[in-house]
Amino acid sequence: MSVQLDIDGIDSWGFKHEGPFIIAGPCSAETREQVLETARGVAKTGAHMLRAGIWKPRTRPNCFEGMGEEGLKWLVEAREETGMPISTETATPEHVELCLKYNVDLIWVGARTTVNPFAVQALADSLKGTDIPVLVKNPINPDVELWIGALERLNKAGVRKLGAIHRGFSSAKVTELRNAPNWRIFIELRRRCEGLPIICDPSHLCGKRALIPAVAQKALDLLFDGLMIESHIDPDKALSDSKQQFTPEDLGKVIAGLQVRHPAV
Ligand code: PEP
Ligand code: MN
């Protein structure tokens, strides 16, 4: 069954880009220096938007849970210095309110939030009357209806700059990848939600640097509209997702090595 979404294509969101839309930056904003240095590096890689998690949904307590509002101020500084638009994950209406306060250019809904219709509805209600672009990561479990349901909730609340991110799904199968890709679900989402921009996040999908370039290339070959890739100035010392982040220099090489065999749609 096809899904009617009232949305504007990614090219009308106002971000400068040619070909696939690339979002890159640290898993988490940790310090002012780390954000600014990473942003300076990422700005030279061909990426179009900076990312950094400010509120981190950690699996276990007592891990680094994000810098909150202070981190948003660093992102704003990074935007002023590099000219790159900025993005972060929001999970609650309070997060949305702060992102609007600092004019964050795009927000995304994390996989752990997409699974919860109450949380998504609260986010949707807090976005009424705004025009900030919102990307919705797939839920942790391979449930296309839950993913579409989250997109519909946001769209019903008036979010027109809407897109999706495939970051892989939890699976009982043990593989090299951190989260299993499900290209069939991606194709189904694309077929059912006509015109919906869909980005691939090979970082959370792979969990390991070495596996990321091939998955990023596969995503481009499958006509994903863009990529979200994590980058940190000193990956091995990152406070979250240290194994899957590239230095900005290595990220630049990965991006330069990607082939766009088809025009992005
Ligand atoms: C992230 O983007 O850093 C993140 C926590 O991702 P996910 O929601 O895909 O786990
Ligand atoms: Mn991460």
Side-chain angles (χ1 to χ4, degrees), residues 147 166-169 177 179-191 198-202 205-206 214-224 227:
W147 199 359
H166 178 14
R167 48 75 83 196
F169 299 91
L177 299 171
N179 290 296
N182 190 319
W183 307 122
R184 279 185 201 194
I185 287 188
F186 154 69
I187 289 162
E188 180 176 349
L189 189 72
R190 164 139 291 170
R191 180 174 53 76
I198 313 179
I199 281 171
C200 183
D201 171 349
L205 210 152
C206 294
V215 172
Q217 184 60 58
K218 167 103 181 168
L220 295 187
D221 294 346
L222 288 170
L223 297 184
F224 272 82
L227 299 169

Side-chain angles (χ1 to χ4, degrees), residues 89-130:
E89 172 177 346
T90 53
T92 69
E94 293 73 31
H95 297 166
V96 170
E97 199 182 314
L98 280 166
C99 286
L100 295 171
K101 176 174 160 191
Y102 288 93
N103 278 317
V104 169
D105 299 284
L106 174 149
I107 56 176
W108 75 85
V109 179
R112 290 166 190 75
T113 303
T114 308
V115 288
N116 182 340
F118 290 122
V120 175
Q121 191 57 51
L123 279 178
D125 292 341
S126 72
L127 283 160
K128 278 187 184 146
T130 70

Side-chain angles (χ1 to χ4, degrees), residues 36-46 82 231 233 248-249 251-252:
L36 291 177
E37 278 188 44
T38 308
R40 285 176 198 126
V42 165
K44 296 184 197 137
T45 63
T82 65
S231 173
I233 200 72
E249 202 184 332
L251 174 71

Side-chain angles (χ1 to χ4, degrees), residues 21-244:
F21 185 59
I22 300 181
I23 304 172
C27 179
S28 301
E30 300 168 1
T31 66
R32 179 173 174 270
E33 278 318 299
Q34 170 250 1
V35 170
L36 291 177
E37 278 188 44
T38 308
R40 285 176 198 126
V42 165
K44 296 184 197 137
T45 63
H48 307 101
M49 174 177 274
L50 185 68
R51 66 149 279 158
I54 300 297
W55 302 281
K56 298 306 297 179
R58 304 309 296 275
T59 303
R60 306 273 307 269
N62 305 323
C63 296
F64 174 69
E65 290 189 319
M67 294 303 297
E69 186 168 0
E70 203 183 350
L72 276 183
K73 294 181 187 163
W74 304 333
L75 275 180
V76 169
E77 253 187 279
R79 173 173 60 193
E80 278 163 8
E81 193 184 314
T82 65
M84 295 188 94
I86 54 175
S87 60
T88 197
E89 172 177 346
T90 53
T92 69
E94 293 73 31
H95 297 166
V96 170
E97 199 182 314
L98 280 166
C99 286
L100 295 171
K101 176 174 160 191
Y102 288 93
N103 278 317
V104 169
D105 299 284
L106 174 149
I107 56 176
W108 75 85
V109 179
R112 290 166 190 75
T113 303
T114 308
V115 288
N116 182 340
F118 290 122
V120 175
Q121 191 57 51
L123 279 178
D125 292 341
S126 72
L127 283 160
K128 278 187 184 146
T130 70
D131 79 337
I132 187 165
V134 184
L135 300 177
V136 181
K137 288 201 176 192
N138 63 259
I140 300 272
N141 51 322
D143 182 343
V144 71
E145 300 302 326
L146 200 51
W147 199 359
I148 289 176
L151 290 160
E152 284 178 317
R153 284 177 197 280
L154 290 158
N155 197 227
K156 275 178 76 172
V159 177
R160 290 181 58 105
K161 295 174 184 162
L162 189 60
I165 305 177
H166 178 14
R167 48 75 83 196
F169 299 91
S170 271
S171 160
K173 249 201 233 160
V174 180
T175 73
E176 272 206 300
L177 299 171
R178 177 177 176 188
N179 290 296
N182 190 319
W183 307 122
R184 279 185 201 194
I185 287 188
F186 154 69
I187 289 162
E188 180 176 349
L189 189 72
R190 164 139 291 170
R191 180 174 53 76
R192 289 175 59 187
C193 302
E194 214 193 311
L196 182 76
I198 313 179
I199 281 171
C200 183
D201 171 349
S203 303
H204 291 89
L205 210 152
C206 294
K208 283 191 205 93
R209 271 185 284 282
L211 307 177
I212 292 174
V215 172
Q217 184 60 58
K218 167 103 181 168
L220 295 187
D221 294 346
L222 288 170
L223 297 184
F224 272 82
D225 298 283
L227 299 169
M228 179 186 264
I229 308 182
E230 288 186 337
S231 173
H232 189 288
I233 200 72
D234 190 357
D236 292 337
K237 297 216 180 87
L239 299 180
S240 58
D241 288 348
S242 59
K243 293 192 172 61
Q244 68 191 34

